[in-house]
Amino acid sequence: MTKKFNESFSVFSFFSGGGFLDLGFESEEFDVVFANEIHTPFLEAYSHSRDILGIREPKYGLSNVDITSLRGDRGLAEAVKMEENLKKVIGFIGGPPCPDFSVGGKNRGRSGENGRLSETYVDLIINGKPHFFLFENVKGLYRTKKHREFFEHLKDKLCQFYYLSERVVNALEYGVPQDRERIILVGFRRDCFEETKFGWGERLYPDRSGFQYDWPDVTPFYPRKLVPRPDHLPLGLTVQYWFDRNDVKNHPNSKHHFKPRAGLPRFKTICEGDDKKKSYKRLHRWRYSPTAAYGNNEVHLHPYKARRLSAAEALAIQSLPKEYEFPADMGLSNMFKCIGNGVPYLAAKGLAASIKLHIIENYQTNLQQFNEFSTSSAA
C-alpha cells in the first residue's frame, strides 16, 4: 500500500491560537502531531473546533506551557526523533505574537516580551532541526527600519542550516475577503533540499491580485436594504459572499458580538464601506474587509446592521470553514482576539500547498516515496 501524504508529513505547531494555520496545513494533507498555545481559552477553542470538524487530537498532544520551557525539552526532542525514525518529513510552523513589531501595537521590538518569543521560536527551530519551517509575523518586522535589523539577525542564525525565502503576502492573493499583509519566512534544511527558488503560489494561484477591480465606494447606511452586486467583481472576495457561504445567521456564534453601552446613534451615521477611519470602520457588503483586527480601538461594523460584527461573521472574513465554531462559553474578548491573531484559513492552505509542492520537487532524502504524487500535486 502506498503512503498517503498525511502519513509522510508531520507538523509541530507553535503559538497555535485557535488553529487556523494548522487547519490550512491539515487541508493539504500535513499531519499536525503537536500543538502549543499558552493561552488556555485559545487552546480550548482549538480542541473544541477539531471535535466539531472530526479531526483527531495531535499524536503528541496539546500543550499550554510557555514556549521558552520547550527549549531543551526532552519530550519535544523525543517526539521529533520518533517522527524522524518513521521517515517523516518534519515541519515547524508558527506565528509568534506580533504587538511588539506592529506600528499600531506596542512597537517595543526585540526587547519586548513578545519580541523575545520570536527569537525563542527561531532557537527551537535550530535545536529541533525540522526539515522545513514557516515563520509568520506582521509586516512591521520586515518593513520598519527599527525592527528590520532584528529580523536580519534571526535570518543570520537560520541561514547556517536552512535555505530561506521571505515575502510579504496579502490574504487577498489566496482568495480571502480581507486586505491583510503579513511577512512569511520559510526555510528548507540545507542537507535535505536543493537550493532552488521557492514558489509563492505562482503556479497554484496564477490570478492573485484583488486590487485591480473597480470596487464600490462608500454608500449611505441603509439598514437591511438590498444593494445589488456589481457584475464585474469577483464574488469570492466579497464580505457578503462569505456571510452567505458560512450561513452566519444560523452559525452557533451568530449572537456573539459586543453590544455598545453608548454610541449606537454614531453607528448609524457611518456609511457602508467607510473603513478608512482609525476606529469605527463599516464594511461594504460587496467589497473585501480591512485587516481583521478587533483589539484596542478597532471597531468593525456590519455593512447594513447597526451593530458590530459577530464572531461568526469575523470567522467568515478569516475564510474559516462554516463548521468551525468557538465554545459557547468562551468570552467575547477571547473570541475576537483569537480571530484577529489567526492566519486566514485560505492563506494558510495556499502556503501549505506551495510548501508541499516544493518538498515534492526538491526533497533529496527518500525522494522516491514522493515521486508518485508529484504530477497530480503540481496540477
Side-chain angles (χ1 to χ4, degrees):
M1 182 180 294
T2 59
K3 284 190 176 184
K4 296 179 181 178
F5 268 123
N6 62 1
E7 295 173 343
S8 299
F9 298 115
S10 296
V11 168
F12 291 74
S13 169
F14 303 91
F15 313 103
S16 305
F20 302 178
L21 180 62
D22 295 15
L23 280 176
F25 272 79
E26 287 164 332
S27 73
E28 289 296 321
E29 301 180 294
F30 289 78
D31 186 13
V32 176
V33 297
F34 173 82
N36 173 257
E37 170 54 54
I38 192 171
H39 193 47
T40 301
F42 293 178
L43 201 65
E44 291 173 347
Y46 186 108
S47 180
H48 176 82
S49 66
R50 275 158 177 70
D51 284 343
I52 298 298
L53 292 165
I55 303 173
R56 71 176 184 271
E57 185 172 309
K59 181 195 299 188
Y60 302 106
L62 301 173
S63 164
N64 72 336
V65 302
D66 187 329
I67 192 173
T68 57
S69 69
L70 293 176
R71 286 187 296 191
D73 180 75
R74 289 184 60 184
L76 177 61
E78 289 173 359
V80 172
K81 187 64 178 178
M82 288 176 66
E83 295 305 293
E84 285 182 339
N85 291 340
L86 293 171
K87 306 300 183 184
K88 304 295 186 70
V89 175
I90 299 166
F92 282 13
I93 63 173
C98 58
D100 290 322
F101 303 111
S102 174
V103 175
K106 298 176 182 178
N107 210 29
R108 293 171 184 162
R110 64 191 299 176
S111 62
E113 180 182 355
N114 292 330
R116 290 194 293 271
L117 292 177
S118 293
E119 187 145 26
T120 299
Y121 178 45
V122 166
D123 290 341
L124 277 177
I125 293 168
I126 292 171
N127 293 336
K129 301 180 179 64
H131 298 98
F132 72 90
F133 73 83
L134 179 144
F135 175 106
E136 180 263 352
N137 214 288
V138 292
K139 64 180 179 180
L141 179 61
Y142 177 84
R143 289 181 174 168
T144 304
K145 184 178 180 181
K146 175 181 177 181
H147 306 316
R148 179 76 198 201
E149 182 180 349
F150 177 53
F151 186 51
E152 293 298 329
H153 160 71
L154 297 179
K155 287 166 54 184
D156 286 344
K157 295 177 71 170
L158 288 163
C159 72
Q160 302 174 61
F161 310 100
Y162 292 90
Y163 300 123
L164 304 178
S165 185
E166 67 193 61
R167 179 170 171 172
V168 173
V169 303
N170 196 307
L172 279 171
E173 299 177 64
Y174 297 98
V176 179
Q178 184 186 161
D179 180 7
R180 183 189 189 96
E181 289 187 317
R182 290 294 184 267
I183 176 66
I184 304 293
L185 175 69
V186 295
F188 299 89
R189 231 170 70 183
R190 289 181 176 272
D191 61 341
C192 299
F193 289 86
E194 292 182 351
E195 187 173 11
T196 57
K197 180 181 177 182
F198 177 70
W200 290 94
E202 290 87 352
R203 288 164 59 186
L204 301 170
Y205 301 89
D207 183 18
R208 308 187 66 179
S209 177
F211 294 111
Q212 75 270 29
Y213 298 96
D214 183 20
W215 293 98
D217 202 354
V218 298
T219 57
F221 174 56
Y222 294 118
R224 292 176 295 278
K225 181 178 179 180
L226 179 65
V227 176
R229 175 178 69 90
D231 293 335
H232 67 282
L233 297 178
L235 184 61
L237 292 181
T238 64
V239 165
Q240 187 62 51
Y241 168 83
W242 281 88
F243 284 1
D244 294 339
R245 182 182 186 275
N246 281 20
D247 192 17
V248 295
K249 288 188 287 188
N250 298 306
H251 190 277
N253 301 128
S254 63
K255 304 300 183 185
H256 292 112
H257 58 82
F258 288 103
K259 298 176 177 61
R261 297 177 182 175
L264 184 59
R266 184 180 176 189
F267 283 9
K268 298 178 180 179
T269 66
I270 299 172
C271 292
E272 180 171 349
D274 184 1
D275 60 9
K276 304 305 181 187
K277 294 182 174 65
K278 190 172 183 179
S279 180
Y280 286 72
K281 303 173 187 288
R282 169 155 273 124
L283 279 55
H284 197 293
R285 72 192 82 189
W286 300 124
R287 201 166 72 204
Y288 49 82
S289 169
T291 301
Y294 305 116
N296 299 322
N297 294 319
E298 289 270 3
V299 177
H300 290 200
L301 304 180
H302 192 282
Y304 45 88
K305 296 183 181 180
R307 62 166 174 79
R308 296 173 69 163
L309 292 180
S310 70
E313 291 155 356
L315 287 169
I317 288 167
Q318 284 282 53
S319 68
L320 268 299
K322 69 177 182 179
E323 295 82 9
Y324 185 101
E325 65 178 68
F326 288 132
D329 60 352
M330 187 177 183
L332 285 176
S333 292
N334 280 320
M335 283 188 185
F336 283 94
K337 185 176 180 181
C338 187
I339 294 168
N341 287 353
V343 178
Y345 167 72
L346 284 186
K349 178 179 174 66
L351 291 166
S354 295
I355 288 172
K356 182 171 76 172
L357 186 58
H358 190 84
I359 293 171
I360 292 167
E361 296 183 340
N362 298 286
Y363 187 56
Q364 295 301 299
T365 306
N366 295 323
L367 183 62
Q368 64 274 11
Q369 66 179 300
F370 302 113
N371 285 342
E372 63 195 279
F373 302 109
S374 60
T375 302
S376 61
S377 294

